[in-house]
Amino acid sequence: MTATIIFVLLFTLMLTGMPVSISLGLTVLAFLFAMTQVPIESVALKLFTGIERFEIMAIPFFILAGNFLTHGGVARRMINFATSMVGHWHGGLGLAGVMACALFAAVSGSSPATVVAIGSIILPAMVKAGFPKRFGAGVITTSGALGILIPPSIVMVMYSVATNTSVGTLFMAGVVPGLILAFMLGAVTWYRARKNRYPRMQLFAGRSGAQASIAALAGLSASLFFIAAPILAVWVLVRQLVPEGGGLLAVLFGIAWLLVARMLTHSAFVLRWVFTLGFLLTPPAVVYGIARIFLPFSGNALLIGLLAAWLVCAIPLARKADLVRGVALEARHEALAVWTTFWESVWGLLLVIVVLGGIYSGVFTPTEAAAMSAVYAFFVAVFVYRDMGLRQVPKVLLDSANMSAMLLYIITNAVLFSYLLTSEQIPQQMADWMIGQGLGTVGFLLMVNLLLLLAGNVMEPSSIVLITAPILFPVATKLGIDPVHFGILMTVNMEVGMCHPPVGLNLYVASGITKMGITELTIAVWPWLLTMLVFLVMVTYMPQMSLWLPRMLGMS
Amino acid sequence: MKALDHLEEWLIAFLMGAATSVIFVAVVHRYASGIPWPAFQDWLLTVNLSWAQELCIYMFIWMAKFGAAYGVRTGIHVGVDVLINRMQERPRAAFVLFGLLAGALFTGIVGSLGAKFVWEIAHTDQVSPDLELPMWIVFLAIPCGSYLMCFRFLQVAWSFWRTGELPHHDHGHVEGVEALKDEDLVAYALKDGLHPRDAGKGGAR
């Protein structure tokens, strides 16, 4: 009964079009005033103490970091890197768009921001290259949604605030589903581009797709090898020599190396040796890495054996074809493009390590990692890439403050609302009722998906998560559903909601960039939207997909 | 009026930047004081930054309260407007006004409750755990922020009544991004000129 009154009141107020935060707050005030003896003075205090938690403060920090990156030309460099990697396949720039969205999602926690950052650069470029407008808009609108699935993610922070789940674990759980979704969206893009014969980016005439792919991979492995090998070597050495405080020394060396490495990347001599060593060492390292993950044993014997076997095979080959020149010459074109664009965008890519590495290794709490990434993004935008002057900083701060204040205001009122629900014991009642209906796990998850997809039609993600999570979460716990899995499921639902009308924020952003109408955009996104729905079913009924990585890292 | 607008903007932008810097310094301090660096380490260890987290939280709450008021002015607070956007002009205007006035009502009530609460707590000697600030100063954010927000709601309602226009926040608009030059659009236009132009423009090389 009370539950009915509260929800009818809430929905009526919401439908009048007032801000969601205000309708939440007014519902609580009205209910407390009319129906209970609870002193309403406590409301004012709750509005303060509701958000008095350090975990929530990750949200403004991530928004600030995202804004610095959007302004800072990081997106443009990531697009160049992605194009050099996958541009030669069918759908060239479209595929590059998917990959750039996935990369940018790994440094930004919001979907619309990802669409703006990548879309405003790549969509005009795609039209110029001869893609239909609809195709580009469809790709970017949906791929931009990766922003909230690939960590960091503001929606996941919201979920963790509402349910007390660990943010770090949620972030790690988002990695694998995010990569799978990116892959699926890429596959659809590739298929449609191939079917409709859209242009690919043939950078170098007379190169087949396979040649270009192999060369691009060679370029990538050389870049990764050059960036990681010296740091790993020093780290291993330092651990042997200086047991105390060695980690810090290794970190300092890593930073110094990054500064020096960038200067070396233009030298032809360095390039040649990196390519050769990369060619010799990468295949055994990859095999070893895969074996370490999937086979129960581990050991250096395996690595040494692989290395020896590979060298025995490779060196005679190399002498025959004059490896040093041969590999470098054969792979030169695409590999060089990948190499150059990688080193251009390396400062943006490293942010992934600051956030995920920092949280996983326990160096930072999630909030601290968010603050560090904001400072890092500021530094990169203003001093490294210099796409932004110091004079623009106050404007960025103001914009970020505006956005974060809006989200924090919704959180405050949602906390107030869930306090009302809890004090009336509504979540427990609803949980008992739902379980009394004989809904199994499968039925319950189906119902949750439908409910969230419906809610995605009228509200934006933060409000949906904050309002529904406290109600649905107790039921999920009773049914034995993993909280982390449930969080990923909600996030994917929010993604779908952002890409379809009437309120999909991504659509509006994309429509702002492309000047296309919402109806036309809706038609444009459907192939990818369908893919996302298939993916949603996969995420819902395959908990291993989200839980595998955190379990392997020992986080849950 | 202009002065109030500017004060509001400067306050929230400052709080945003300051809170970020505080946490950054605290984290750097935590790791720097672990380095066995003679004298310097001793000095670092005498600096106590355990209050940083609390300060950051308070700064962000202040930012949230005043930023929410600024958000009313910029139209960033979104509601469920699917239904009312399909209505005729006049009923829609009535609902918009109702929403704005409801916002003013809510923030007005909360502001008054907060003011009463601050008044009561000012007569106690409660201080915050780490910073040892008097709590009434910390809680002052609620009445001040809420009253300002109430004022902003009334302001927006008044201008809507007069001109029929609402502030609108455009999520697709990012400063600086639209100022892209033409050469940025050519994929691969990298500074070093290592190559790449796309093959469509006769760029076989």
Side-chain angles (χ1 to χ4, degrees), chain A residues 49-75:
Chain A
T49 53
I51 53 170
E52 207 186 5
R53 285 169 55 186
F54 195 52
E55 298 87 79
I56 297 179
M57 302 311 161
I59 293 170
F61 285 139
F62 277 133
I63 289 177
L64 183 60
N67 277 352
F68 275 124
L69 293 173
T70 319
H71 288 245
V74 173

PDB file of all heavy atoms in Angstrom, chain A residues 49-75:
ATOM      1  N   THR A  49      24.587  14.439   4.507  1.00  0.00           N
ATOM      2  CA  THR A  49      25.287  13.202   4.838  1.00  0.00           C
ATOM      3  C   THR A  49      25.106  12.137   3.760  1.00  0.00           C
ATOM      4  O   THR A  49      25.912  11.232   3.665  1.00  0.00           O
ATOM      5  CB  THR A  49      24.788  12.642   6.185  1.00  0.00           C
ATOM      6  OG1 THR A  49      23.372  12.545   6.106  1.00  0.00           O
ATOM      7  CG2 THR A  49      25.159  13.544   7.328  1.00  0.00           C
ATOM      8  N   GLY A  50      24.057  12.294   2.933  1.00  0.00           N
ATOM      9  CA  GLY A  50      23.809  11.306   1.882  1.00  0.00           C
ATOM     10  C   GLY A  50      24.976  11.148   0.930  1.00  0.00           C
ATOM     11  O   GLY A  50      25.249  10.054   0.448  1.00  0.00           O
ATOM     12  N   ILE A  51      25.657  12.265   0.627  1.00  0.00           N
ATOM     13  CA  ILE A  51      26.768  12.139  -0.316  1.00  0.00           C
ATOM     14  C   ILE A  51      28.116  12.330   0.370  1.00  0.00           C
ATOM     15  O   ILE A  51      29.116  12.561  -0.282  1.00  0.00           O
ATOM     16  CB  ILE A  51      26.638  13.112  -1.501  1.00  0.00           C
ATOM     17  CG1 ILE A  51      26.435  14.528  -1.012  1.00  0.00           C
ATOM     18  CG2 ILE A  51      25.558  12.700  -2.440  1.00  0.00           C
ATOM     19  CD1 ILE A  51      26.544  15.538  -2.146  1.00  0.00           C
ATOM     20  N   GLU A  52      28.103  12.226   1.710  1.00  0.00           N
ATOM     21  CA  GLU A  52      29.344  12.438   2.432  1.00  0.00           C
ATOM     22  C   GLU A  52      30.223  11.180   2.386  1.00  0.00           C
ATOM     23  O   GLU A  52      30.620  10.656   3.419  1.00  0.00           O
ATOM     24  CB  GLU A  52      29.003  12.787   3.889  1.00  0.00           C
ATOM     25  CG  GLU A  52      30.043  13.616   4.580  1.00  0.00           C
ATOM     26  CD  GLU A  52      29.682  13.775   6.044  1.00  0.00           C
ATOM     27  OE1 GLU A  52      28.701  13.162   6.496  1.00  0.00           O
ATOM     28  OE2 GLU A  52      30.394  14.488   6.718  1.00  0.00           O
ATOM     29  N   ARG A  53      30.455  10.658   1.188  1.00  0.00           N
ATOM     30  CA  ARG A  53      31.273   9.444   1.082  1.00  0.00           C
ATOM     31  C   ARG A  53      32.335   9.651   0.022  1.00  0.00           C
ATOM     32  O   ARG A  53      32.073  10.190  -1.037  1.00  0.00           O
ATOM     33  CB  ARG A  53      30.389   8.255   0.684  1.00  0.00           C
ATOM     34  CG  ARG A  53      29.539   7.758   1.827  1.00  0.00           C
ATOM     35  CD  ARG A  53      28.502   6.788   1.334  1.00  0.00           C
ATOM     36  NE  ARG A  53      29.125   5.695   0.583  1.00  0.00           N
ATOM     37  CZ  ARG A  53      28.438   4.772  -0.063  1.00  0.00           C
ATOM     38  NH1 ARG A  53      27.129   4.825  -0.055  1.00  0.00           N
ATOM     39  NH2 ARG A  53      29.046   3.816  -0.709  1.00  0.00           N
ATOM     40  N   PHE A  54      33.531   9.193   0.343  1.00  0.00           N
ATOM     41  CA  PHE A  54      34.653   9.459  -0.554  1.00  0.00           C
ATOM     42  C   PHE A  54      34.487   8.733  -1.887  1.00  0.00           C
ATOM     43  O   PHE A  54      34.922   9.230  -2.921  1.00  0.00           O
ATOM     44  CB  PHE A  54      35.951   9.046   0.135  1.00  0.00           C
ATOM     45  CG  PHE A  54      37.176   9.606  -0.528  1.00  0.00           C
ATOM     46  CD1 PHE A  54      37.288  10.951  -0.792  1.00  0.00           C
ATOM     47  CD2 PHE A  54      38.229   8.781  -0.892  1.00  0.00           C
ATOM     48  CE1 PHE A  54      38.406  11.477  -1.403  1.00  0.00           C
ATOM     49  CE2 PHE A  54      39.360   9.290  -1.502  1.00  0.00           C
ATOM     50  CZ  PHE A  54      39.443  10.638  -1.762  1.00  0.00           C
ATOM     51  N   GLU A  55      33.816   7.565  -1.880  1.00  0.00           N
ATOM     52  CA  GLU A  55      33.672   6.804  -3.130  1.00  0.00           C
ATOM     53  C   GLU A  55      32.900   7.607  -4.182  1.00  0.00           C
ATOM     54  O   GLU A  55      33.187   7.537  -5.367  1.00  0.00           O
ATOM     55  CB  GLU A  55      32.923   5.483  -2.911  1.00  0.00           C
ATOM     56  CG  GLU A  55      33.583   4.492  -1.977  1.00  0.00           C
ATOM     57  CD  GLU A  55      33.198   4.755  -0.540  1.00  0.00           C
ATOM     58  OE1 GLU A  55      32.100   4.363  -0.147  1.00  0.00           O
ATOM     59  OE2 GLU A  55      33.995   5.382   0.182  1.00  0.00           O
ATOM     60  N   ILE A  56      31.871   8.357  -3.715  1.00  0.00           N
ATOM     61  CA  ILE A  56      31.046   9.112  -4.659  1.00  0.00           C
ATOM     62  C   ILE A  56      31.879  10.157  -5.382  1.00  0.00           C
ATOM     63  O   ILE A  56      31.610  10.509  -6.526  1.00  0.00           O
ATOM     64  CB  ILE A  56      29.874   9.768  -3.909  1.00  0.00           C
ATOM     65  CG1 ILE A  56      28.989   8.686  -3.298  1.00  0.00           C
ATOM     66  CG2 ILE A  56      29.060  10.650  -4.830  1.00  0.00           C
ATOM     67  CD1 ILE A  56      27.832   9.210  -2.522  1.00  0.00           C
ATOM     68  N   MET A  57      32.931  10.652  -4.704  1.00  0.00           N
ATOM     69  CA  MET A  57      33.697  11.757  -5.277  1.00  0.00           C
ATOM     70  C   MET A  57      34.490  11.342  -6.519  1.00  0.00           C
ATOM     71  O   MET A  57      35.097  12.173  -7.175  1.00  0.00           O
ATOM     72  CB  MET A  57      34.630  12.355  -4.226  1.00  0.00           C
ATOM     73  CG  MET A  57      33.881  12.838  -3.010  1.00  0.00           C
ATOM     74  SD  MET A  57      32.475  13.855  -3.500  1.00  0.00           S
ATOM     75  CE  MET A  57      31.460  13.811  -2.026  1.00  0.00           C
ATOM     76  N   ALA A  58      34.489  10.032  -6.826  1.00  0.00           N
ATOM     77  CA  ALA A  58      35.122   9.601  -8.076  1.00  0.00           C
ATOM     78  C   ALA A  58      34.399  10.200  -9.273  1.00  0.00           C
ATOM     79  O   ALA A  58      35.001  10.444 -10.312  1.00  0.00           O
ATOM     80  CB  ALA A  58      35.104   8.074  -8.166  1.00  0.00           C
ATOM     81  N   ILE A  59      33.094  10.463  -9.126  1.00  0.00           N
ATOM     82  CA  ILE A  59      32.300  10.933 -10.268  1.00  0.00           C
ATOM     83  C   ILE A  59      32.787  12.289 -10.788  1.00  0.00           C
ATOM     84  O   ILE A  59      33.102  12.410 -11.964  1.00  0.00           O
ATOM     85  CB  ILE A  59      30.805  10.938  -9.899  1.00  0.00           C
ATOM     86  CG1 ILE A  59      30.343   9.485  -9.713  1.00  0.00           C
ATOM     87  CG2 ILE A  59      29.978  11.624 -10.961  1.00  0.00           C
ATOM     88  CD1 ILE A  59      28.982   9.346  -9.138  1.00  0.00           C
ATOM     89  N   PRO A  60      32.877  13.328  -9.911  1.00  0.00           N
ATOM     90  CA  PRO A  60      33.391  14.592 -10.449  1.00  0.00           C
ATOM     91  C   PRO A  60      34.795  14.461 -11.036  1.00  0.00           C
ATOM     92  O   PRO A  60      35.084  15.075 -12.070  1.00  0.00           O
ATOM     93  CB  PRO A  60      33.397  15.528  -9.243  1.00  0.00           C
ATOM     94  CG  PRO A  60      32.840  14.804  -8.100  1.00  0.00           C
ATOM     95  CD  PRO A  60      32.383  13.474  -8.535  1.00  0.00           C
ATOM     96  N   PHE A  61      35.638  13.657 -10.398  1.00  0.00           N
ATOM     97  CA  PHE A  61      37.006  13.516 -10.910  1.00  0.00           C
ATOM     98  C   PHE A  61      37.013  12.900 -12.302  1.00  0.00           C
ATOM     99  O   PHE A  61      37.728  13.352 -13.187  1.00  0.00           O
ATOM    100  CB  PHE A  61      37.847  12.648  -9.976  1.00  0.00           C
ATOM    101  CG  PHE A  61      38.256  13.362  -8.718  1.00  0.00           C
ATOM    102  CD1 PHE A  61      38.222  12.712  -7.496  1.00  0.00           C
ATOM    103  CD2 PHE A  61      38.686  14.677  -8.748  1.00  0.00           C
ATOM    104  CE1 PHE A  61      38.605  13.356  -6.337  1.00  0.00           C
ATOM    105  CE2 PHE A  61      39.067  15.329  -7.600  1.00  0.00           C
ATOM    106  CZ  PHE A  61      39.025  14.661  -6.380  1.00  0.00           C
ATOM    107  N   PHE A  62      36.208  11.845 -12.501  1.00  0.00           N
ATOM    108  CA  PHE A  62      36.191  11.204 -13.814  1.00  0.00           C
ATOM    109  C   PHE A  62      35.616  12.154 -14.869  1.00  0.00           C
ATOM    110  O   PHE A  62      36.066  12.174 -16.017  1.00  0.00           O
ATOM    111  CB  PHE A  62      35.382   9.906 -13.787  1.00  0.00           C
ATOM    112  CG  PHE A  62      36.175   8.732 -13.288  1.00  0.00           C
ATOM    113  CD1 PHE A  62      35.659   7.879 -12.334  1.00  0.00           C
ATOM    114  CD2 PHE A  62      37.442   8.480 -13.786  1.00  0.00           C
ATOM    115  CE1 PHE A  62      36.399   6.795 -11.874  1.00  0.00           C
ATOM    116  CE2 PHE A  62      38.181   7.405 -13.334  1.00  0.00           C
ATOM    117  CZ  PHE A  62      37.659   6.559 -12.371  1.00  0.00           C
ATOM    118  N   ILE A  63      34.624  12.958 -14.485  1.00  0.00           N
ATOM    119  CA  ILE A  63      34.054  13.911 -15.439  1.00  0.00           C
ATOM    120  C   ILE A  63      35.110  14.937 -15.833  1.00  0.00           C
ATOM    121  O   ILE A  63      35.281  15.268 -17.008  1.00  0.00           O
ATOM    122  CB  ILE A  63      32.818  14.593 -14.835  1.00  0.00           C
ATOM    123  CG1 ILE A  63      31.692  13.580 -14.751  1.00  0.00           C
ATOM    124  CG2 ILE A  63      32.398  15.796 -15.659  1.00  0.00           C
ATOM    125  CD1 ILE A  63      30.452  14.086 -14.118  1.00  0.00           C
ATOM    126  N   LEU A  64      35.861  15.409 -14.837  1.00  0.00           N
ATOM    127  CA  LEU A  64      36.909  16.398 -15.116  1.00  0.00           C
ATOM    128  C   LEU A  64      37.957  15.809 -16.057  1.00  0.00           C
ATOM    129  O   LEU A  64      38.334  16.430 -17.061  1.00  0.00           O
ATOM    130  CB  LEU A  64      37.548  16.839 -13.798  1.00  0.00           C
ATOM    131  CG  LEU A  64      38.612  17.923 -13.909  1.00  0.00           C
ATOM    132  CD1 LEU A  64      38.023  19.180 -14.512  1.00  0.00           C
ATOM    133  CD2 LEU A  64      39.201  18.233 -12.549  1.00  0.00           C
ATOM    134  N   ALA A  65      38.396  14.588 -15.750  1.00  0.00           N
ATOM    135  CA  ALA A  65      39.402  13.940 -16.601  1.00  0.00           C
ATOM    136  C   ALA A  65      38.870  13.803 -18.024  1.00  0.00           C
ATOM    137  O   ALA A  65      39.559  14.140 -18.991  1.00  0.00           O
ATOM    138  CB  ALA A  65      39.755  12.568 -16.039  1.00  0.00           C
ATOM    139  N   GLY A  66      37.620  13.363 -18.157  1.00  0.00           N
ATOM    140  CA  GLY A  66      37.021  13.190 -19.469  1.00  0.00           C
ATOM    141  C   GLY A  66      36.977  14.498 -20.241  1.00  0.00           C
ATOM    142  O   GLY A  66      37.285  14.536 -21.431  1.00  0.00           O
ATOM    143  N   ASN A  67      36.635  15.599 -19.550  1.00  0.00           N
ATOM    144  CA  ASN A  67      36.555  16.883 -20.243  1.00  0.00           C
ATOM    145  C   ASN A  67      37.915  17.347 -20.728  1.00  0.00           C
ATOM    146  O   ASN A  67      38.040  17.882 -21.821  1.00  0.00           O
ATOM    147  CB  ASN A  67      35.937  17.940 -19.334  1.00  0.00           C
ATOM    148  CG  ASN A  67      34.430  17.875 -19.357  1.00  0.00           C
ATOM    149  OD1 ASN A  67      33.865  17.138 -20.170  1.00  0.00           O
ATOM    150  ND2 ASN A  67      33.780  18.617 -18.495  1.00  0.00           N
ATOM    151  N   PHE A  68      38.945  17.150 -19.903  1.00  0.00           N
ATOM    152  CA  PHE A  68      40.284  17.527 -20.351  1.00  0.00           C
ATOM    153  C   PHE A  68      40.674  16.730 -21.595  1.00  0.00           C
ATOM    154  O   PHE A  68      41.259  17.261 -22.527  1.00  0.00           O
ATOM    155  CB  PHE A  68      41.319  17.289 -19.251  1.00  0.00           C
ATOM    156  CG  PHE A  68      41.431  18.429 -18.285  1.00  0.00           C
ATOM    157  CD1 PHE A  68      41.254  18.227 -16.931  1.00  0.00           C
ATOM    158  CD2 PHE A  68      41.712  19.708 -18.743  1.00  0.00           C
ATOM    159  CE1 PHE A  68      41.346  19.270 -16.038  1.00  0.00           C
ATOM    160  CE2 PHE A  68      41.811  20.763 -17.856  1.00  0.00           C
ATOM    161  CZ  PHE A  68      41.624  20.545 -16.495  1.00  0.00           C
ATOM    162  N   LEU A  69      40.314  15.448 -21.603  1.00  0.00           N
ATOM    163  CA  LEU A  69      40.700  14.610 -22.739  1.00  0.00           C
ATOM    164  C   LEU A  69      39.928  14.982 -23.996  1.00  0.00           C
ATOM    165  O   LEU A  69      40.468  14.965 -25.090  1.00  0.00           O
ATOM    166  CB  LEU A  69      40.467  13.134 -22.413  1.00  0.00           C
ATOM    167  CG  LEU A  69      41.384  12.588 -21.329  1.00  0.00           C
ATOM    168  CD1 LEU A  69      40.967  11.191 -20.954  1.00  0.00           C
ATOM    169  CD2 LEU A  69      42.813  12.595 -21.815  1.00  0.00           C
ATOM    170  N   THR A  70      38.640  15.324 -23.844  1.00  0.00           N
ATOM    171  CA  THR A  70      37.856  15.700 -25.013  1.00  0.00           C
ATOM    172  C   THR A  70      38.420  16.970 -25.634  1.00  0.00           C
ATOM    173  O   THR A  70      38.480  17.110 -26.854  1.00  0.00           O
ATOM    174  CB  THR A  70      36.390  15.934 -24.608  1.00  0.00           C
ATOM    175  OG1 THR A  70      36.016  14.942 -23.684  1.00  0.00           O
ATOM    176  CG2 THR A  70      35.494  15.866 -25.806  1.00  0.00           C
ATOM    177  N   HIS A  71      38.840  17.899 -24.776  1.00  0.00           N
ATOM    178  CA  HIS A  71      39.383  19.144 -25.302  1.00  0.00           C
ATOM    179  C   HIS A  71      40.803  18.972 -25.812  1.00  0.00           C
ATOM    180  O   HIS A  71      41.286  19.780 -26.577  1.00  0.00           O
ATOM    181  CB  HIS A  71      39.406  20.213 -24.198  1.00  0.00           C
ATOM    182  CG  HIS A  71      38.058  20.723 -23.845  1.00  0.00           C
ATOM    183  ND1 HIS A  71      37.670  22.008 -24.059  1.00  0.00           N
ATOM    184  CD2 HIS A  71      36.992  20.106 -23.303  1.00  0.00           C
ATOM    185  CE1 HIS A  71      36.429  22.168 -23.667  1.00  0.00           C
ATOM    186  NE2 HIS A  71      36.000  21.026 -23.195  1.00  0.00           N
ATOM    187  N   GLY A  72      41.461  17.929 -25.327  1.00  0.00           N
ATOM    188  CA  GLY A  72      42.906  17.895 -25.487  1.00  0.00           C
ATOM    189  C   GLY A  72      43.430  17.192 -26.718  1.00  0.00           C
ATOM    190  O   GLY A  72      44.612  16.942 -26.823  1.00  0.00           O
ATOM    191  N   GLY A  73      42.583  16.860 -27.680  1.00  0.00           N
ATOM    192  CA  GLY A  73      43.114  16.250 -28.886  1.00  0.00           C
ATOM    193  C   GLY A  73      43.578  14.813 -28.701  1.00  0.00           C
ATOM    194  O   GLY A  73      44.179  14.237 -29.603  1.00  0.00           O
ATOM    195  N   VAL A  74      43.301  14.232 -27.519  1.00  0.00           N
ATOM    196  CA  VAL A  74      43.649  12.831 -27.314  1.00  0.00           C
ATOM    197  C   VAL A  74      42.830  11.957 -28.261  1.00  0.00           C
ATOM    198  O   VAL A  74      43.350  11.014 -28.864  1.00  0.00           O
ATOM    199  CB  VAL A  74      43.399  12.422 -25.846  1.00  0.00           C
ATOM    200  CG1 VAL A  74      43.586  10.941 -25.658  1.00  0.00           C
ATOM    201  CG2 VAL A  74      44.325  13.193 -24.935  1.00  0.00           C
ATOM    202  N   ALA A  75      41.550  12.329 -28.419  1.00  0.00           N
ATOM    203  CA  ALA A  75      40.664  11.543 -29.272  1.00  0.00           C
ATOM    204  C   ALA A  75      41.194  11.490 -30.699  1.00  0.00           C
ATOM    205  O   ALA A  75      41.199  10.438 -31.329  1.00  0.00           O
ATOM    206  CB  ALA A  75      39.259  12.139 -29.254  1.00  0.00           C
TER     207      ALA A  75
END
